[in-house]
Amino acid sequence: MLDQAEGYTTADGRKIGGTVMDMRNITLRFGGVEAIKNISFDIREGEIRAIIGPNGAGKSSMLNVISGFYVPQEGEVWFRGEKRKPLKPFEVARQGIARTFQNIALFEGMSVLDNVMTGRLTEMKSGLLSQAIWRGKAEREEVANREICERVIDFLEIQNIRKTPVSRLPYGLKKRVELARALASEPKLLLLDEPMAGMNVEEKEDMSRFILSVNDEFGTTIALIEHDMGVVMDLSDRVVVMDYGKKIGDGTPDEVRNNQEVIDAYLGVSHD
Amino acid sequence: MGYSSKGDSGFASVPSLLRRNAAEFGSKSAYREKEFGIWQSWTWANTEEEIQALALGMLALGVNRGDFVAIIGRNRPHLYWSMVAAQMCGAIPVPLYQDAVAEEMAYVLNHCGARFVIAADQEQVDKVLEIQDQLPDFEQMIYLDTRGLRKYDHTRLHEYASLQDQGRSASAAIKSELAAREAELTYDHTCVMLYTSGTTGKPKGVVLSNRNIIETAKASSEFDGLARGEEVLAYLPMAWVGDFIFSIGQAYWTGFCVNCPESEETMGTDLREIGPTYYFAPPRVFETQLTNVMIRMEDAGRLKKRMFDYFMEHARKVGGSILDAKSVSTLDRLKYSLGELLIYGPLKNTLGFSRVRVGYTAGEAIGPEIFDFYRSMGINLKQLYGQTEASVFITQQPDGEVRGDTVGVPSPGVEVRIGDNGEVYYRGAGTFVEYYKNPESTADTKDPEGWVATGDAGFFEPDTGHLRIIDRAKDVGKLADGGMFAPKYVENKLKFYPNILETVVFGAGKDRCVAFINIDMSAVGNWAERNNIAYSSYQELAGHPRVLDTIQHHVEEVNASVALDPMLSGCQVHRFLVLHKELDADDGELTRTRKVRRKIIGEKFEDLVNALYDGSESIYTETEVTYEDGRKGKISATLSLRDAKVVPVQKLAAE
């Protein structure tokens, strides 16, 4: 098990800090269905934290609780040392949390650049009139925001599709554009909902490389849901395993891999 | 030899040209690179400062006179600067192909004993670190792009920008040493060493002196009237001699601006945004571009398509003559102007060719249709014939004397003669010094009087004085019946069909010729889409019966045209097959400059060649392939072999 002291250093030399997000005894119900049953875990500063589990285990619901989209019936979410009240989406974004979606949620008719620019929306402070005239503050703001977006575009190597409408892109690239939009808001905590779903091996390799570089270059804390066990084990520092809304494992990839309950869940042993 | 140590101009080295440019027109743009969506630019004065800072940093790092400094990466201003900075220190820059795999790189780095490597990014740094145990001479590496490299062991690694800062802060102490080294440079010092990819054997290091580069840059700039205002786009490999001459030689000589694209994939956009006035591309680039235009026109509306066809037809008729300033009737001129307004102008603009004043293509033969297409639109595209050993220029076409099937007249300052066996020889100011550490090859290629054997067979046309190249001299062979066998001649005819990307013709010492063919995925794929032909892979499409029918048709047309040439009528293709994989440099089948390695292909696919000769209908084969990351795999396929109709030729005096 990990020590409870403030942070640790990983095998490849990254410094992992103290707890950023602490989920305490979370229970989430939809009517009579208990999607999440009394789960607790934490996410530490700078780490890549994976949530895995079979279909219907409650992974996406968990991510939605972290992002503040669902408010759990029981339990507390602590973010940066404060207990979190129910929030509106833009308030979540202002706290420095950004996410991508399992089913891509981009603006299909808009160009890649425009989509990425929407990631800077919370930073656009000038008024409607000023934006319309586009002089002074509005212009300066846009230039500054554009530069941040361009750095993200450069980082994710999508310069060649900058002006292409999203609807014309293949699936794998759309996923990358979504990541770009999330990164444009310069998040402290990045939530990725199945970033590799439906990708071929090469695209998965690219995406893994980008996720690692994001974590490495910007020190972004990342929580991700993923089905591909190989990817999860290679990428993440610690893994939470869920099954039928319960937490059945938590620890480093090696610990989780040797956990009998996890093996059973993945091999499909019958449940009583 | 009667040469001065400085040359007529008084500039003995590239750094001295840099000093002149910075002093005379320091505020003019020298380099641009698109980064973060904006064209960043550096004036000649900025460039001088950047290069000087880097050179000081390199001096502080311990770069000695005569050291080799390897440079690996795509075209970026900083990497061009590093070449000049190395020269300032008295060292010799050795640009390498960035897509070379680690073993190829190990050979070259070992051969020149490079003590220093300047790498563009993590990918290149990784490659060098992977082979560092095989490199006893390697000491320090400088890298440009910091991404992913922060946590690497920095005992042998240095960041480009911080090295420059070190250079700046140490300036007071070592400035005089740098100035002294720079002042020592003469016309006979080595300017650059370039490795030829070599269609056979190991790469050879071609040593080019300051004299070679500066004299060539001067003569070729004057030939085409290149001026300070030119814009070029630097996108061809930095390890290739052409890029060195264009982006360093001519750029420093005339002081024009070198623009570097944002990434490989954004080339098209960047080309359009810059609108170069002076442009170079191998035939392949023009082919791809024309194929794309044609594919897009197929999808265009009916009115547009008809307008395009009508005006292109007219352009084919008179465009070339108008470009060559020959007499054309007023009506035709009017119609051409209308075409310029409606079709040619917008098309050139889309392709980024609106401002091209001088365009060159070389390296391979270009298809007459392709060549005429660009010329008829008013783009002054010309051909040249060159080699690394000649600092590019051997022959080139003067304005107004441009034809698809010749490579022009000897470049200024170059003498050309044809040997007894038909081989082309040349000598001139650009003729290389030697192959590094390889006196035997040097002696084989360059005789004591300075004549260099090109390895190409050709002849001068009696009435025009233009040179025509037939084939590689060593590839020209004899058929079993004694007839001449010139595979390239047939291959080029085949490759002019958009559906055919690459082809290899066999037949030396045999009674008839056979061919391997690679389809062009974008052209054939588009055709398949329009004809509702389903396929899931390259292999499946390549084996489709209707694709084979089309290719067979092309082969038969080529046979008919080959039959017309009395000397080469024996080279008609009797049987052919369409290969199940694309020929690839990673598998050693092509050189890095994408030339066919005939012998290696012949050995690797021996089973297929034999099957073509023994008359079998189909054959099962397995082929090893190398993936981009170096892993190996196997693909297998059953190929069908086809007979092609040949035109019977009566045996005139074949000899």
Side-chain angles (χ1 to χ4, degrees), chain A residues 50-244:
Chain A
I51 305 172
I52 64 171
N55 279 333
K59 304 183 298 290
S60 289
S61 300
M62 195 70 228
L63 207 68
N64 280 324
V65 172
I66 299 175
S67 76
F69 187 67
Y70 291 156
V71 180
Q73 279 78 8
E74 287 167 32
E76 294 168 354
V77 178
W78 287 69
F79 184 59
R80 299 188 161 262
E82 277 176 52
K83 187 176 160 189
R84 194 162 76 181
K85 299 186 292 287
L87 293 174
K88 297 251 164 45
F90 70 89
E91 290 171 322
V92 177
R94 283 202 185 141
Q95 283 199 330
I97 300 180
R99 69 167 298 178
T100 67
F101 297 84
Q102 186 175 353
N103 310 310
I104 297 162
L106 289 164
F107 301 101
E108 290 274 322
M110 284 170 23
S111 71
V112 168
L113 179 63
D114 288 342
N115 268 285
V116 176
M117 284 292 273
T118 59
R120 301 296 304 167
L121 215 56
T122 52
E123 301 302 316
M124 305 266 195
K125 303 261 163 46
S126 56
L128 186 65
L129 186 65
S130 162
Q131 295 257 9
I133 301 167
W134 210 63
R135 281 280 175 278
K137 190 180 171 195
E139 187 182 357
R140 279 198 305 277
E141 254 183 21
E142 175 146 341
V143 170
N145 286 320
R146 170 80 187 266
E147 191 183 335
I148 291 165
C149 291
E150 285 292 347
R151 283 181 191 277
V152 172
I153 286 173
D154 180 69
F155 187 83
L156 294 178
E157 297 165 15
I158 48 176
Q159 302 100 325
N160 57 325
I161 52 165
R162 189 186 280 130
K163 298 278 170 70
T164 314
V166 165
S167 57
R168 276 175 43 196
L169 298 178
Y171 179 80
L173 273 180
K174 284 185 186 174
K175 282 276 197 193
R176 210 189 286 183
V177 175
E178 246 206 341
L179 178 60
R181 181 179 59 185
L183 284 180
S185 66
E186 299 176 296
K188 296 187 183 69
L189 174 60
L190 179 63
L191 309 176
L192 306 173
D193 196 348
E194 300 211 10
M196 329 258 177
M199 286 189 172
N200 63 30
V201 176
E202 201 182 324
E203 288 169 331
K204 278 184 189 173
E205 280 175 357
D206 280 347
M207 190 51 104
S208 305
R209 190 160 53 85
F210 287 128
I211 292 173
L212 286 173
S213 327
V214 167
N215 176 256
D216 196 31
E217 288 288 300
F218 309 127
T220 312
T221 310
I222 297 174
L224 64 95
I225 293 181
E226 187 47 60
H227 264 305
D228 188 316
M229 288 299 282
V231 169
V232 170
M233 296 302 175
D234 282 353
L235 286 183
S236 41
D237 298 307
R238 288 190 299 149
V239 184
V240 177
V241 192
M242 291 177 70
D243 191 20
Y244 287 99

Side-chain angles (χ1 to χ4, degrees), chain B residues 277-590:
Chain B
T277 57
Y278 177 44
Y279 180 68
F280 184 94
R284 189 177 286 268
V285 170
F286 290 109
E287 273 168 44
T288 318
Q289 219 162 33
L290 177 58
T291 311
N292 286 343
V293 169
M294 288 308 179
I295 290 171
R296 284 171 66 179
M297 281 320 297
E298 293 288 342
D299 296 337
R302 203 187 276 168
L303 177 68
K304 284 183 190 163
K305 176 92 172 84
R306 281 186 60 182
M307 269 169 54
F308 177 80
D309 289 342
Y310 179 81
F311 282 108
M312 284 322 293
E313 175 69 40
H314 183 67
R316 256 189 290 279
K317 217 169 64 192
V318 301
S321 309
I322 290 176
L323 191 60
D324 290 341
K326 291 185 184 135
S327 76
V328 173
S329 79
T330 317
L331 186 67
D332 278 344
R333 272 183 194 278
L334 268 175
K335 216 160 109 183
Y336 188 84
S337 312
L338 187 63
E340 174 72 29
L341 194 68
L342 294 173
I343 301 290
Y344 323 135
L347 182 56
K348 279 188 284 191
N349 193 21
T350 308
L351 296 174
F353 291 157
S354 292
R355 298 203 295 162
V356 172
R357 212 165 51 71
V358 183
Y360 273 111
T361 181
E364 293 270 329
I366 186 167
E369 287 95 56
I370 300 163
F371 196 62
D372 291 344
F373 173 83
Y374 289 98
R375 286 195 60 80
S376 69
M377 281 200 305
I379 298 165
N380 186 20
L381 182 60
K382 310 196 285 183
Q383 297 200 70
L384 66 80
Y385 172 61
Q387 270 192 337
T388 307
E389 288 84 345
S391 310
V392 181
F393 298 95
I394 300 174
T395 67
Q396 59 195 124
Q397 296 176 325
D399 288 344
E401 291 178 45
V402 180
R403 277 172 43 200
D405 54 354
T406 74
V407 290
V409 298
S411 300
V414 182
E415 297 171 79
V416 181
R417 70 174 170 86
I418 308 293
D420 300 333
N421 58 348
E423 191 170 348
V424 180
Y425 293 82
Y426 66 87
R427 70 173 175 190
T431 303
F432 75 120
V433 180
E434 60 172 357
Y435 292 122
Y436 184 64
K437 289 204 295 205
N438 194 345
E440 304 91 67
S441 285
T442 308
D444 283 349
T445 314
K446 187 172 144 181
D447 72 13
E449 286 164 16
W451 288 100
V452 179
T454 59
D456 289 321
F459 63 92
F460 277 104
E461 281 191 347
D463 17 328
T464 58
H466 280 233
L467 184 67
R468 264 182 80 171
I469 300 294
I470 313 174
D471 201 341
R472 297 288 299 165
K474 67 175 170 47
D475 288 340
V476 176
K478 293 251 188 283
L479 294 165
D481 64 1
M484 193 194 213
F485 171 66
K488 191 77 147 289
Y489 174 78
V490 185
E491 286 163 9
N492 284 337
K493 279 184 182 286
L494 280 167
K495 271 163 58 177
F496 296 155
Y497 290 94
N499 289 330
I500 297 176
L501 181 70
E502 205 57 73
T503 151
V504 192
V505 173
F506 301 94
K510 306 272 191 178
D511 56 343
R512 59 212 158 97
C513 297
V514 298
F516 286 177
I517 286 167
N518 256 181
I519 55 167
D520 185 318
M521 190 65 180
S522 58
V524 180
N526 187 269
W527 166 85
E529 202 178 305
R530 276 183 287 117
N531 289 283
N532 289 324
I533 290 170
Y535 64 95
S536 56
S537 65
Y538 178 86
Q539 195 181 331
E540 193 178 332
L541 186 63
H544 196 283
R546 286 187 58 190
V547 172
L548 293 178
D549 289 344
T550 313
I551 301 295
Q552 178 159 4
H553 193 68
H554 294 335
V555 172
E556 285 165 1
E557 276 180 7
V558 166
N559 282 346
S561 126
V562 171
L564 296 179
D565 194 313
M567 261 168 59
L568 296 164
S569 58
C571 298
Q572 295 183 57
V573 175
H574 287 246
R575 303 193 79 209
F576 72 94
L577 60 79
V578 174
L579 282 176
H580 51 296
K581 73 176 280 280
E582 247 182 284
L583 296 175
D584 197 331
D586 287 341
D587 291 326
E589 293 149 349
L590 301 179

Side-chain angles (χ1 to χ4, degrees), chain B residues 102-103 106-107 110 130-137:
Chain B
E103 308 138 44
Y107 175 81
N110 255 332
E130 189 188 316
I131 52 170
Q132 61 177 338
D133 297 338
Q134 307 166 41
L135 307 173
D137 303 305

